[in-house]
Amino acid sequence: MKKLPLHVKIIIGLVLGIIWAFISSALGWNQFTIDWIDPFGQIFIRLLKFIAVPLVLFSIIDGVSGLNDTSKLGRMGAKTLGLYLVSTVTAITVGLLIVNFIAPGSHIDDAQRMKNRISYELWVQNTPGVEVKDGKNFLNDPAYADLVMEMSDGQELAAQQQTVEDKVALAKKQKEVPPLQFVVDMVPENIILSISDNKLMLQVIFFAIFFGITLAVVPNDKGAPVKNFISSINEVFLRMVDTIMAAAPFFVFALLAGVVAKMADSPAEVFQIFRGLGSYTITVLLGLGVMLFAFYPLVTSTFIKKISYKKFFKILSPAQFLAFSTSSSAATLPVTMECVEDGMGVSKNVSSFVLPIGATVNMDGTSLYLAIATVFLAQLHFVDLSLSQQLVIVLTATMGSIGTAAVPGASLVMLIIIIQTVGLNPAWIAIIFPVDRILDMTRTVANITGDATVATLIASSEGELRAED
């Protein structure tokens, strides 16, 4: 067992965790699992999160201050943002193509979809400033008079869960901010407060880059002690990552056991959840599969000959399985950096700059999911979104992914913003709640794989990629 590679041990832990959760639910041990096993999974996430921020801070300062040519930083920054933009737009486009081809929202009973449609039009009727997006009007169609009466008579529009209301309020607040507010928010008022809040990672990155550039131009006799101090601290945090990862298989077992145990009280309930949203789940997984098994490895192996298709996954698998377990790009960041540097051969200068930015602004899997979820919910309610409306989804998802926190569940807020932008009912997100957690785990894998791909391509273009295998 000791001789097995880390990624194999993580896979074993992951599979055993899922098996244990099903056994415990079948035997009525779910509460035991939640009380005595799941906490170790939460500890694992906390360990990774508390390391993530200082590791980002010191690794960026260490990498940037080591650049002899500061103009290289600007060039590398432009390439980073450009490639992240390309990968995000590609992911959204793949998502829209697949969801329009499969049309998962049309795979349920037409009678139920028509009820959903009438419910949508009633919502539009009672919501100021909103119009029916496809111009159709079933409320006034005599053929559906009885259904309209049934839906509106003696029934109020369903009261939504408090969770949905909270997220709608947060999304409304985000929509009202000025267009350049995200640039303002990048600049910290108090770096200590920014470091203490995982949601303010962009501010930490801004400070680290600014500090690193300044340290690079300070005369060497004054700057060398600080550089050595920063480099030493960075090595300590990297060693902490190694120590935590040695126990990762056990932690992953606990985390997955807890996740599945919390989803339902019996195996039948878990299967029921996925069967009800099966076509939607399959569509999202297919889209993510195209990015994971076609786009990223083929692009990497095409431009970097020493990294074959098989080697690509062998190198990144520890980070990918960890991303699946934690559902957090930020929590996975330390391991992603290790895989990219040790396996891909990317220099620390590049990885410490590109990957932290990617963990914050590059959300390929999330963007793809946002596109599919929006169109699926529209299809489910018999709403035909036009090409122009779907292009709005592309633009909104691209811009919104920059501000999506790299933590579990944050994408639901972004989904509400997109749904509202195209004039649909934000309360519909409650429909996809049951499978969001498992899809969140999967799309995080795409997020960190996209980050690693871009970091490797930039390292190659900058001559910062080790030539040897």
Side-chain angles (χ1 to χ4, degrees):
M1 189 71 174
K2 291 183 179 180
K3 295 181 180 180
L4 289 176
L6 178 61
H7 68 277
V8 175
K9 293 180 182 178
I10 292 176
I11 294 173
I12 293 172
L14 188 151
V15 173
L16 290 178
I18 295 173
I19 292 172
W20 170 264
F22 277 100
I23 293 173
S24 69
S25 63
L27 298 177
W29 297 348
N30 262 11
Q31 198 57 49
F32 172 84
T33 301
I34 293 170
D35 290 342
W36 295 98
I37 296 179
D38 180 61
F40 291 99
Q42 304 309 314
I43 289 171
F44 183 45
I45 293 179
R46 288 189 175 212
L47 285 171
L48 290 171
K49 280 186 175 180
F50 93 70
I51 285 179
V53 174
L55 184 63
V56 166
L57 176 65
F58 292 114
S59 64
I60 290 179
I61 294 174
D62 189 30
V64 172
S65 64
L67 292 173
N68 296 322
D69 181 8
T70 53
S71 64
K72 184 177 183 178
L73 184 64
R75 184 174 67 248
M76 198 158 63
K79 287 181 181 179
T80 298
L81 295 177
L83 285 179
Y84 280 149
L85 182 63
V86 169
S87 65
T88 298
V89 173
T90 301
I92 297 170
T93 303
V94 167
L96 288 176
L97 289 173
I98 289 176
V99 75
N100 280 285
F101 178 75
I102 297 178
S106 64
H107 292 173
I108 70 167
D109 183 61
D110 281 350
Q112 181 59 52
R113 290 180 69 206
M114 184 50 67
K115 285 185 178 181
N116 295 344
R117 173 69 194 210
I118 297 300
S119 173
Y120 164 65
E121 292 192 20
L122 287 171
W123 172 79
V124 170
Q125 196 176 64
N126 292 295
T127 307
V130 179
E131 298 178 354
V132 175
K133 300 313 294 182
D134 55 10
K136 299 174 183 177
N137 190 334
F138 291 93
L139 287 181
N140 296 327
D141 189 333
Y144 301 103
D146 291 342
L147 184 58
V148 172
M149 184 69 68
E150 176 190 336
M151 295 294 294
S152 57
D153 219 17
Q155 275 188 22
E156 297 179 3
L157 294 177
Q160 302 300 321
Q161 302 173 20
Q162 186 62 42
T163 308
V164 177
E165 294 176 357
D166 292 344
K167 290 184 181 296
V168 169
L170 181 58
K172 183 178 180 181
K173 183 178 178 181
Q174 286 188 231
K175 281 183 69 178
E176 292 173 351
V177 300
L180 291 180
Q181 186 62 39
F182 78 94
V183 179
V184 176
D185 291 340
M186 286 175 59
V187 183
E189 293 181 289
N190 185 323
I191 188 58
I192 304 301
L193 293 178
S194 300
I195 290 173
S196 66
D197 190 342
N198 277 328
K199 297 177 183 176
L200 301 178
M201 185 73 84
L202 272 178
Q203 295 185 1
V204 176
I205 292 172
F206 177 89
F207 171 80
I209 292 174
F210 191 20
F211 191 98
I213 292 173
T214 307
L215 186 57
V217 298
V218 167
N220 193 56
D221 60 325
K222 296 185 181 297
V226 179
K227 290 180 181 179
N228 292 335
F229 174 72
I230 295 291
S231 181
S232 297
I233 292 182
N234 192 42
E235 286 299 321
V236 171
F237 278 105
L238 289 173
R239 183 59 60 90
M240 290 174 72
V241 173
D242 290 339
T243 303
I244 293 171
M245 288 307 295
F250 168 73
F251 283 131
V252 167
F253 163 80
L255 191 63
L256 264 293
V259 166
V260 179
K262 291 174 183 176
M263 288 178 65
D265 292 328
S266 69
E269 288 184 22
V270 177
F271 287 122
Q272 184 63 34
I273 286 171
F274 290 105
R275 189 175 71 175
L277 292 168
S279 59
Y280 162 70
T281 303
I282 291 171
T283 303
V284 175
L285 293 178
L286 181 60
L288 294 173
V290 170
M291 297 299 295
L292 280 169
F293 299 109
F295 182 73
Y296 298 133
L298 292 179
V299 166
T300 303
S301 59
T302 298
F303 288 95
I304 305 169
K305 300 301 182 185
K306 72 163 190 168
I307 302 177
S308 65
Y309 184 93
K310 182 178 179 180
K311 186 177 180 181
F312 179 87
F313 288 103
K314 183 178 179 181
I315 292 170
L316 290 181
S317 55
Q320 290 174 327
F321 287 115
L322 193 61
F324 182 81
S325 304
T326 63
S327 297
S328 173
S329 302
T332 312
L333 180 59
V335 181
T336 308
M337 293 176 72
E338 195 170 45
C339 290
V340 166
E341 290 173 13
D342 297 342
M344 298 290 196
V346 175
S347 72
K348 187 175 292 187
N349 287 344
V350 173
S351 68
S352 63
F353 177 78
V354 177
L355 290 176
I357 293 176
T360 307
V361 306
N362 183 51
M363 300 288 170
D364 291 352
T366 301
S367 300
L368 181 146
Y369 149 81
L370 293 173
I372 291 177
T374 304
V375 177
F376 165 74
L377 290 171
Q379 293 171 348
L380 201 63
H381 292 77
F382 258 134
V383 179
D384 296 323
L385 295 178
S386 65
L387 178 60
S388 61
Q389 288 164 345
Q390 294 196 32
L391 289 176
V392 170
I393 295 175
V394 174
L395 180 61
T396 310
T398 302
M399 298 306 296
S401 65
I402 296 174
T404 303
V407 295
S411 55
L412 284 173
V413 175
M414 194 59 232
L415 178 58
I416 290 174
I417 294 176
I418 295 175
I419 288 175
Q420 289 180 321
T421 301
V422 294
L424 303 176
N425 187 348
W428 291 351
I429 67 165
I431 295 172
I432 60 175
F433 269 172
V435 294
D436 183 71
R437 181 68 168 112
I438 193 70
L439 292 180
D440 194 10
M441 297 162 75
T442 310
R443 60 183 179 255
T444 304
V445 179
N447 291 342
I448 67 101
T449 306
D451 297 344
T453 299
V454 169
T456 307
L457 292 175
I458 290 175
S460 179
S461 69
E462 291 289 330
E464 298 276 355
L465 193 69
R466 287 199 306 270
E468 70 272 11
D469 290 335

